[in-house]
Amino acid sequence: MALYEHTVMTRQDISAQQAEALNDTIKDLIVAGGGSVAKIEYWGLRNLTYRVKKNRKAHYSLLAVDAPPAAMAEVERQLGINEDVLRWLTVRVEELDLELSPLLARRERERERERERTPREDAAADAE
């Protein structure tokens, strides 16, 4: 089997739950084709550099996949039919990167900094 990184952009009109449901559908297609999904990351609603099919924003998702080429061909065929999907990109890789993507790693670092700041600010407010 081959290793792939698969990125999907969906319309801004759909909810985050619908975007994640699409990720589950993709996962089911891959499993049915004899593959497996090692990681699914939902990046959220992000601004686009230019309009794509009259959309200024899109829901982004990244999947790390280990599947036969036929399974990925079926996934891409299904995505081409789906009206909610704006674009997708499938890249074959030598090995899967199972760590957090730089985007999510940065968000996690920001959350940790926020957690560290909150007690200090609360203590300063109590001192006054």
Side-chain angles (χ1 to χ4, degrees), residues 39 41-43 46 62 97-113 115:
K39 170 178 82 169
E41 289 184 359
Y42 173 68
W43 292 349
R46 304 191 43 87
L62 172 73
D97 184 15
L98 299 179
E99 296 178 12
L100 282 179
S101 64
L103 176 74
L104 292 182
R106 186 180 78 222
R107 284 184 188 169
E108 188 62 32
R109 285 193 305 269
E110 289 172 359
R111 286 184 190 137
E112 288 176 10
R113 287 186 199 136
R115 285 185 211 130

Side-chain angles (χ1 to χ4, degrees), residues 28-122:
D28 293 342
L29 285 170
I30 291 169
V31 170
S36 64
V37 177
K39 170 178 82 169
I40 298 177
E41 289 184 359
Y42 173 68
W43 292 349
L45 188 65
R46 304 191 43 87
N47 291 327
L48 298 173
T49 304
Y50 55 89
R51 287 187 184 193
V52 177
K53 297 183 182 177
K54 300 182 182 179
N55 290 280
R56 292 179 183 259
K57 295 183 177 189
H59 293 273
Y60 280 77
S61 297
L62 172 73
L63 292 87
V65 178
D66 182 9
M72 289 309 296
E74 176 61 19
V75 167
E76 290 180 350
R77 187 185 76 77
Q78 292 288 333
L79 292 177
I81 295 170
N82 193 328
E83 294 177 355
D84 292 333
V85 176
L86 297 175
R87 301 270 167 93
W88 71 88
L89 176 67
T90 306
V91 179
R92 188 170 178 173
V93 294
E94 293 296 321
E95 63 182 69
L96 294 177
D97 184 15
L98 299 179
E99 296 178 12
L100 282 179
S101 64
L103 176 74
L104 292 182
R106 186 180 78 222
R107 284 184 188 169
E108 188 62 32
R109 285 193 305 269
E110 289 172 359
R111 286 184 190 137
E112 288 176 10
R113 287 186 199 136
E114 187 63 32
R115 285 185 211 130
E116 292 172 359
R117 287 183 192 152
T118 304
R120 292 183 202 152
E121 291 171 359
D122 290 341

